[in-house]
Amino acid sequence: MNSLLTVSGLSYRKQKSGLFSNRELFRLSPLSFELKRGETMAIMGENGSGKSLLAKLLVGVLQPEAGSILLNGEPMCDSRQQRRFSAIRMIFQHSKDSLNPGLTLGGQLEEALILNTNMSATERKRQIENTLVKVGMLPEHQYFYRHMLSEGQHQRAAVARALILDPQVIVADEPFAALDPSVRSQTANLLMNLQQQLGLGFIFISHNLGIVRHISDRILVLEKGKVVESGKTEVIFNWPKSEYTKRTIQAHQELISGQ
Amino acid sequence: MPMLDIKNLTLEIDTPMGWVSALDKVSLSIDTSEIRALVGESGSGKSLIVKSIVGAIPERWRVTADRMNWKGNDLLGMSGNQRRAITRNEISVILQNASAALDPSATLREQIEESIPSYRLTKGWFWQRRQQRLDIAIQELHRVGIRDHNLCLSSYAHQLPEDICQKFSIAMALVSKPKLLIADNPTVGMETTTKVQILKLLTKLNKTQGLSVLFVSHDLLAIAAMANTMTVLYCGQTVESGSIEQVKRRPLHPYTKALLDSAPSFRRDLPPKSPLSCLDGTIPTLQHLPIGCRLGPRCPRAQRECVKMPATRHIHGHSYACHFPLHRDKP
Amino acid sequence: MLIAIARRLNLLIITLFILCLASYVLAFLFPGDALTNLSGIPALSADQSHQLQLMYALNEGWFSGFWTYLKLTLNGDWGVSLNSQTPIFEDILKLLPASLELSLYAMVISLVVGLPLGVLAGLKHRSYTDMSILSVSLTGFSFPVFWLSLLLILIFSLQLGYLPMSGRISLLFDIPHSTGFILVDILRSEMPVKDAALFDALRHLVLPTLSLSIVTTALVIRLIRRSVVTVYASDFIKAAYTKGLSHSQVFWRHGMKNALLPIMPQLAMQFTVLLTNAMIVEVIFSWPGIGEWLIQAIYQRDFPAIRGGMLAVSAVVVTFTISVELLVRILYPLNKRQFYAQT
Amino acid sequence: QKPGQNSLPMEGLVYCSEGSPITFNPQLDISGTTADATSHQLYNRLIDFDPETGKLVPSLASSWSVSRDGLTYAFQLRKHVNFHQTAYFTPTRSFNAKDVLFSINRWFDPNHPYHQVSGGRYPYFESLGLQQIIKEVSLINGFRVEIKLNYPDSSFLATLATDFAVILSEEYASQLMTENRPELIDSLPIGTGPFKFHRYRKDAYIRYSRHDGYWEGNQSVEQLIYDITSRSSLRLAKLITGECDVIAYPAQTELQVIEERSDLYLEERPGLNVGFWAFNTARAPFDDARVRRALALAVDRKTLLDAIYFDTAVAAKSLLPPSSWAYDDTLEQSSYNPVQAKKLLQEAGIEPGFTMTIWAMPVERAYNPNATKMAELIKHYLADVGIQVQIVSHEWSTFRRLLLKGQHDSVLIGWSADNGDPDNFYRPLLSCSAIASGSNRANWCSAEYDKLINLAVRTADESIRMSYYQQANQILMDQVPLLPIAHAYRFQAYRKGVSGLQINPFGGISFANVSKDRD
Amino acid sequence: MPRPSFYQEEYYPSPMRHTWTDFQRNHIALAGLWCLLFFIVAAFLGPFLVPYGPLQQNTDMLLLAPAWNVNGDISHLFGTDSLGRDILSRIIHGCRITLGTSVILVLIAMLVGCSIGAYAGISRGLRASVINHLLDAIMAIPTLLIAIIIVAILGTGLLNSMWAITLALIPQFIHQTRDLVRREFQKEYIVAARLDGASNHRLLVKDILPNMVEVLVVQATMALSVAILDISALGFLNLGAQSPSPELGTMLSEALDTAYAAPWSVALPGAAIFLMVLSINLVGDGLRTALKNRLLQ
Ligand SMILES: Nc1ncnc2c1ncn2[C@@H]1O[C@H](COP(=O)(O)OP(=O)(O)OP(=O)(O)O)[C@@H](O)[C@H]1O
Ligand SMILES: Nc1ncnc2c1ncn2[C@@H]1O[C@H](COP(=O)(O)OP(=O)(O)OP(=O)(O)O)[C@@H](O)[C@H]1O
Ligand SMILES: [Mg+2]
Ligand SMILES: [Mg+2]
């Protein structure tokens, strides 16, 4: 299986542009990784280590300082924004905030289709309904506004929004953090299901080692903008190398064994 | 005798649709040096319980209870002053949203010093007291793991990241050396190492100083690691409560079981990437509560009787409210 | 902090600069001869006109013209009024205190009345007290100021005869002009019947201040009420209660501070409203302030005076609002701070 | 400003006047406002009118004589008359003949060093043509002055008694001249009158204080304050609240209110004035008498009288009010006749839809309390004969400045007499010489008319003069350079407790012996 | 397929309907709305209903008292003024002028202000700071003062005062829109929409506008009351509409001359302005409350 997403030498620098000095606030050191079809990669790291930043770079909210992102071996750069938007989709941490309160769900899903495909109105409607059903909602939900949906449905709506363009990679920034256990499991199940059906590449960020261990194939650990470790989940969980990972996993083990 | 004893607490709030009982006959008790976990999905009313204990709810809302005692004294019957004296000296609270619970217009130093009870100040002159207050504050911050105390103390809440605010709130709650700490989701969003550090701190205080804790959280792992007993809440109803081992080993209520099952870390046997078990649907909103057992529509074992509220039953300090409990034959 | 102050000062200077520029440009926009509009001297002879041209450096391009104008303006040479041929700057210096005095007292009254009422309404959110205060304030700020003033005059001066209706003080008192604030001037003067004069001046103040302050009081009530409601609904007030603080402690230490600080700039903006309304009120009550003067200037198409008045009033307003904002910033810094403490 | 000056500040009288004086020297301005504010307060004249009878009485001239041929007037001056002592001038001598000479020569002699100061225009004297009438003024001795005329003028003494013929201080003038600030003579005035100038702020107030060394003796109030209030409703309101003791020109609508109140007095006098609608005959098509006649016919003056004057005026037949001895009872009044008007307009070639301006003066005057409203009514009438009207109004001083430039088509304005002589109506309003001085608002010049009114003043026989004026009236009836509308009564309202107020029959008001009971 | 929320099948209104239902529950605001509607109808149809023209003079009936007075006459319900013009007719025409012009100029100001505000909201860097500085400077000057200055340049008259007030109102809208756009642009749903490939323009029109409509309506009601007050104030000061025009403020100042003989001619136009502004404020306030309730959810 060849790699779906290849990231090499990606780096970024956040500066505070003052009047006299350009103080560097944060730097994401060059990093590289590969993601295969149907593979799940988790990104871990302490607060402020640049995880969200990396996610934003991947989906194209921010432009990297250097480095390249290849999708199926083809470079994704500015000129192909549209392809990138439809191939790599993002699920935000606060799914409620990522829905527009003034538009119906259908309206928002349709916008993505209008902007990225040439479908006719009926095709779009069919696609929307299909996607909604796929994520476990009813076709009628397309006429609903944000405030009419429950929290679990927000999460599903966010997933639907990510899926509607048939992407190849989904990047999720702490998709489970704000959720309570049962909705979290529902969402995790949903994502794993979809991944199996559609063969998606899945990158997600999480602090929850239980979930990370359960669903990820590989792990990337960030510390202060540097990759300190990466590898198979089992390997890292059993033989952590870096200080941070060791500490974290040890803490996690303590919790589990402390039961 | 339990330190805090709540029996059949009902809280009605007025919504545009009329009065709704957000808490429905909740019972909860905390003994001296007990760590009790309060679990439940989002919106199940955990924070409301916390707020009604400390009296931080709007006056319009109706609170009724058979019993709501603090060391034998009825909290609801007390005057405001008496009640405040208790919350000032004996109970500390960490509200859910740490940074929002800090006064945005005062520096953290002012706020933590305001919480220092006068009995901790031994020195006589005000400048000595001032210094002593600062010393106490710094000491407390170090305890929760904030190193850069100067920066922290001179900052405003909005200038700090969320996790620092959380730690600071904990420090502020502990500064008054309370008997009971009520912590509403204190570790949410923290990374694991920090979380473990806080949990350790609380456990240590519990062991050494007999601090009781009411620990409200979604994080079953943390709860399991720390708490002695746990109460499970669903939609404002107590579903089950008992010691942590009992509940974990033999959950009696279907909801408790679903909740425990949903945490992957509890199940070593679970192969990676296998589906996690969960209940369908989501918790209903306040305006659309089902009658009777509120789990009804989601419950895999629901039957017609479930439209009646099941009575609470007690077995060996383990109580539950279900018509058709697991692991038990029909009574 | 320093940066914040520097920014405000910067804003102040730039704003004043823009205002000067605007007032310079106005001289060319107004109908008639720009030179006359600048100097206020109806150019009589070619010689005089030439002299004025030199003075305003008009033939050296607009930039140096503006520069010269700026220098003259800063020196207090604002030209003379077309109508009365008196120096505008001196007129303004004489009249501005009267307007400021009126607005200031009205502001004080608005705050003294509006603050407690607004806080009360906010604390008793959704009660009947709240409702009635709110309705009263809603009515209050729907009044057209000029109508309100007329009604007040009709009732209190003409029907009841309690209060005088025009001027700052009975003309029988000859108060020497020193600060321009009449109460201060009376107190500083060495006249034998000070008490009577003071009493008379106060009686003259009542109606204009009242008609000015009703509208702003209503606005202040609403602002404060809304702010108090939001603050009291917020978590940190609950947290303060759970610390065991009493109602009054919470109110004074946390409630008021947070309710008032953020709306201070908005409260300061009320001063702007006041100054505007003061212009109308001054006309009705024949209050010898800058507003009345400005409106007379418009009637008489006295362009140098219009320009000067506009510059003065807006400079006062801008300076006032920006200083209040600065004050708030000092009390309540909002800038982000980087936090490096890691566990 | 010495602090001691405010010894008893509550003592004083407040007079709410209707406007700011243009200057403090009434020689320089023709308006009633200026005269009211200055003439009787600051100054004296050689001769005065008796306020009751209207006869001439001595003032600064203790006696006078006229030569047989009516060409030489000799005045014996009063002694021990003090000029004002103020912060800016301390007199070293009392009044004498030099002051009279200076005061007359200032406007009479174009070469006088003060003639050009403050503009060099003396509109009242110019409009009467006095420069042509007077031959010379000479000093006989320290207290005797002689004036020689070129030809007899029966109104000459009356002219010297008017508000404008005031006596200034020669000593002050020469002091200012040496200080090289001569223009101050008109803004910081010095006179011999009962009050001396203290302070003035345009559109706000004038402060006078009592002249203690006044030659006639002075029992008046310590301070006299003019509270300048242009709105008549505001003046009345101030009168009611007691902020004013006396007000000028109460509006006709408000008279009833004043009469109903027990604490106010209303004094009524037949006014020597006329309100009129003047057509600018220097402009086409108003140079055509038919057009003017048509416009006059198109308006129903009775309604104007009702709506504007509220029956406090008599309809005007010609320039002269009924109280003048030269009033012509027999004169026919032109009546309202829009049909005739249309016909005339057609003859004159005025198309329907023709637009003209009516300038309505922005201030209230006894002769026209609300010109804007009158203009609106006229607009209404003219619309019936197919003429569109645009109403123009400016601030008063601007208004007059622009009027002087002759930018108007027609104007609603009027005239208050300065003395009882009929010549005071005929000459300033319509003579050729009055065009330049700015009181001939019609810009109408007729040699025939000028000849008639000149002949009228050359004789002292009233019946002969009367016949000349009747002929002049005929010309006016035919030419209609202006349409006389009404002669208004003159009102003065004051609070109970004010006494000694003198209302001059010719417009001026004098506070010389006014006092106020404090209650 | 799971059965999502089968016990939640209730009627959920759309955001705008939601605001509206909430608004309806507020009786005072509803009364204000009726009152406002009455004024609008009066402004539209009034001229066809009233028996007299606004300038029609009835010289037989000068200063007639209102009908309820003993001296009144039923043919002139509100009495007549000093030129015998029917006050009721004049007030109704006045509402038309005052309200009508205010509505028009608020619409223009809103359009212009929102466009500039949106532009300022999405622009960054030097351009933004220049706009902001300028805006702060202008915002600090009271609207009436700006209006007066503009009137001084253009000359008096209704049309000029309309221009003036429009120009004076624009900064408020710019400010409001700019802040709103700024705030909304930081929200995650905008990032999400941007990831759908939406351009700035599209974001503004399609995504932010629906969320701004109500806020803008609230702002517009506020601006409307300001506009009415300013127009009538200018009229009152003789800087706006000129004398015979039945603009309410002008009528009021004209009536001052006969304030003693005919107090009603002062009281009635003022009361009309007052009621108009009050009803607009009631509606605005009701809308704001409803909006706040919705946003709190
Ligand atoms: N709006 C911002 N302005 C300035 N700096 C920021 C901003 N947001 C993030 N940063 C900085 O960028 C760096 C990376 O932040 P990022 O959000 O990627 O961290 P993270 O790993 O996602 O943390 P968390 O686990 O708390 O979400 C941090 O040092 C942070 O301080
Ligand atoms: N001020 C309020 N007004 C109306 N309803 C409220 C209010 N506060 C809470 N509720 C409702 O009460 C219910 C319980 O809320 P609560 O905050 O106690 O939940 P929770 O269990 O703490 O959830 P979480 O785990 O997300 O904190 C929720 O349905 C919420 O909508
Ligand atoms: Mg992050
Ligand atoms: Mg909670």
Side-chain angles (χ1 to χ4, degrees), chain A residues 47-48 50-53 93 173-174 205 207:
Chain A
N47 298 110
K51 305 186 294 295
S52 305
L53 198 69
Q93 176 171 5
D173 188 359
E174 312 211 19
I205 297 170
H207 284 303

Side-chain angles (χ1 to χ4, degrees), chain D residues 166-216:
Chain D
V166 296
I167 302 299
L168 313 171
S169 162
E170 185 269 345
E171 188 192 2
Y172 181 47
S174 49
Q175 182 188 321
L176 287 178
M177 199 49 114
T178 49
E179 286 169 17
N180 206 14
R181 307 184 293 172
E183 69 285 348
L184 284 189
I185 196 171
D186 301 321
S187 53
L188 291 178
I190 293 291
T192 54
F195 292 98
K196 51 192 184 185
F197 178 83
H198 184 180
R199 202 180 305 156
Y200 164 59
R201 207 159 94 216
K202 191 170 187 289
D203 295 329
Y205 58 77
I206 312 171
R207 283 175 185 284
Y208 293 125
S209 49
R210 186 169 60 200
H211 177 202
D212 284 323
Y214 186 45
W215 58 273
E216 252 189 325

Side-chain angles (χ1 to χ4, degrees), chain E residues 106 109-110 114 139 169-177 180 212-227 280-281 284-285 287-288 291:
Chain E
V106 165
M110 190 157 87
C114 289
M139 283 288 290
L169 283 179
I170 286 176
Q172 291 180 18
F173 281 103
I174 299 184
H175 192 79
Q176 178 89 17
T177 320
L180 251 168
M212 272 181 11
V213 168
E214 285 149 313
V215 183
L216 286 182
V217 169
V218 169
Q219 174 81 6
T221 58
M222 270 167 53
L224 194 60
S225 67
V226 170
I280 290 171
N281 281 336
D285 220 48
L287 272 180
R288 195 204 316 268
L291 190 65

Side-chain angles (χ1 to χ4, degrees), chain C residues 265-286:
Chain C
Q266 273 157 297
L267 286 179
M269 288 281 269
Q270 298 314 308
F271 194 71
T272 319
V273 177
L274 268 180
L275 264 181
T276 321
N277 286 341
M279 299 213 286
I280 301 173
V281 169
E282 279 171 13
V283 171
I284 294 176
F285 287 95
S286 327

Side-chain angles (χ1 to χ4, degrees), chain B residues 43 46-48 96 184-185 216:
Chain B
K46 303 184 295 292
S47 303
L48 288 182
Q96 183 163 15
D184 194 349
N185 256 339
V216 181

Side-chain angles (χ1 to χ4, degrees), chain C residues 13-40:
Chain C
I13 290 167
I14 290 186
T15 314
L16 290 181
F17 180 81
I18 291 175
L19 286 176
C20 282
L21 185 66
S23 97
Y24 184 67
V25 172
L26 276 184
F28 296 87
L29 287 180
F30 280 136
D33 180 26
L35 211 52
T36 307
N37 289 339
L38 276 174
S39 62

